[in-house]
């Protein structure tokens, strides 16, 4: 495979998106950049992030926030639903007074697929058994006893070698022998994969980390080595863009400082 950069969960956070792309460029770039979904939702810059995503990513998958914008926000809390409704109003063509940008964005969004497969590698937003909505979480594995339950067992059964995912906003590596690695609070973490094992790799969130580390997270993958990188970005500016948008709950900006 080529050298890949894999991102997820940008969530309309343009400052974080740009910071990650700049960091990637400083550290050797990539032959291709893949996004595992949720380019939009929550944040204040959906149109700008869509424009950048469309010209940057070789593969973009459908996340639950793209699905919610297209089909309606089901099982979302009020704060997230308000953000989805506003995001839809910015993107969805009204077919009477619309722009070429809206039409192009809508066509691009509705054409997104829920998964991508290359050789022995699966790329999804959520999990192999439910590519859009299922969460893989640190609580799903016990790193002390090296055991896990039916959710991860099914996910590993549906993984040939490696599944890359996002959605939970918790970056981690899970292996089918019960291994677990977390890059939280580290600038960079590398893991060399053993071809005799299976792995599920969460690439973390660019625009809304939730593991207590407020820095953006993404991964590169080359020659069997996964590297997570954590990147500072201008949280204050993103917060102000949320705070001054009457359609977005200020909590969506405040939580960025806490990484939750």
């Amino acid at each position: 495979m080529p050298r890949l950069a894999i991102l997820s969960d940008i969530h309309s956070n343009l400052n974080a998106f740009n910071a990650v792309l700049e960091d990637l460029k400083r550290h050797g770039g990539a032959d291709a950049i893949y996004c595992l979904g949720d380019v939009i939702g929550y944040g204040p810059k959906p149109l700008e992030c869509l424009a950048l995503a469309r010209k940057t990513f070789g593969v973009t998958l459908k996340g639950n926030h793209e699905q919610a914008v297209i089909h309606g926000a089901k099982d979302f809390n009020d704060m997230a639903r308000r953000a989805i409704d506003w995001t839809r109003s910015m993107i969805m063509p009204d077919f009477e007074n619309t722009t070429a940008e809206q039409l192009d964005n809508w066509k691009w969004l509705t054409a997104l697929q829920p998964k991508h497969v290359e050789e022995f590698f699966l790329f999804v937003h959520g999990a192999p058994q439910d590519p859009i909505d299922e969460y893989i979480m640190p609580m799903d594995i016990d790193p002390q006893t090296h055991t896990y339950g039916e959710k991860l067992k099914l996910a590993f059964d549906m993984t040939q070698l490696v599944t890359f995912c996002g959605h939970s906003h918790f970056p981690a590596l899970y292996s089918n022998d019960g291994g677990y690695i977390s890059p939280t609070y580290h600038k960079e973490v590398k893991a060399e994969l053993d071809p005799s094992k299976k792995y599920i790799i969460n690439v973390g969130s660019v625009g809304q980390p939730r593991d207590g580390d407020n820095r953006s997270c993404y991964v590169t993958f080359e020659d069997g080595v996964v590297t997570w990188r954590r990147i500072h970005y201008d949280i204050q500016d993103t917060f102000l863009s949320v705070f001054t948008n009457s359609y977005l709950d200020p909590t969506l900006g405040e939580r960025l400082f806490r990484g939750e």
Side-chain angles (χ1 to χ4, degrees), residues 3-235:
R3 174 178 164 86
L4 294 182
I6 309 168
L7 287 59
S8 192
D9 298 276
I10 297 164
H11 285 300
S12 301
N13 187 338
L14 186 63
N15 287 322
F17 193 178
N18 278 323
V20 162
L21 294 181
E22 290 166 6
D23 183 79
L24 176 61
K25 185 177 180 179
R26 286 194 301 269
H27 289 84
D31 297 308
I33 307 176
Y34 291 0
C35 179
L36 305 184
D38 282 4
V39 174
I40 52 177
Y42 293 135
K45 301 290 184 180
L47 297 181
E48 294 87 344
C49 287
L50 279 176
L52 187 55
R54 287 175 56 194
K55 72 179 185 181
T56 301
F57 297 139
V59 170
T60 307
L61 299 181
K62 181 187 292 183
N64 60 310
H65 282 253
E66 282 86 20
Q67 179 162 273
V69 164
I70 297 167
H71 299 292
K74 301 174 183 178
D75 301 321
F76 278 58
N77 61 42
D78 289 342
M79 180 174 63
R81 185 178 296 108
R82 284 174 54 197
I84 286 293
D85 290 344
W86 172 72
T87 300
R88 183 187 300 111
S89 75
M90 298 291 289
I91 297 172
M92 187 175 184
D94 62 16
F95 300 108
E96 291 182 1
N97 183 24
T98 192
T99 66
E101 180 187 34
Q102 284 178 311
L103 286 172
D104 288 345
N105 282 336
W106 193 251
K107 290 177 182 177
W108 186 81
L109 279 176
T110 55
L112 295 179
Q113 298 300 305
K115 65 181 179 179
H116 176 73
V117 178
E118 290 187 20
E119 298 178 342
F120 305 109
F121 303 93
L122 173 64
F123 302 83
V124 295
H125 181 66
Q129 60 266 47
D130 185 344
I132 292 178
D133 288 318
E134 181 66 270
Y135 290 92
I136 301 293
M137 300 287 290
M139 65 186 69
D140 293 322
I141 197 165
D142 187 332
Q144 301 300 317
T145 61
H146 302 286
T147 57
Y148 47 84
E150 287 302 313
K151 184 202 291 186
L152 270 182
K153 182 179 183 303
L154 178 58
F156 283 123
D157 286 345
M158 298 179 70
T159 296
Q160 290 193 62
L161 182 59
V162 181
T163 292
F164 292 96
C165 64
H167 192 35
S168 73
H169 302 210
F170 279 80
L173 175 148
Y174 310 84
S175 59
N176 65 337
D177 63 349
Y180 175 79
I181 294 174
S182 168
T184 300
Y185 304 129
H186 297 278
K187 175 67 175 178
E188 181 178 279
V189 172
K190 292 179 179 287
E192 184 171 357
L193 305 188
D194 180 343
S196 69
K197 300 179 184 179
K198 293 183 179 183
Y199 297 92
I200 296 172
I201 295 169
N202 192 300
V203 305
S205 172
V206 170
Q208 195 184 92
R210 291 183 184 166
D211 60 340
D213 186 335
N214 65 14
R215 296 172 297 174
S216 295
C217 189
Y218 75 102
V219 307
T220 59
F221 182 60
E222 183 178 27
D223 296 331
V225 176
V226 178
T227 303
W228 291 263
R229 287 192 55 78
R230 304 302 296 246
I231 310 302
H232 289 288
Y233 71 94
D234 192 342
I235 297 177

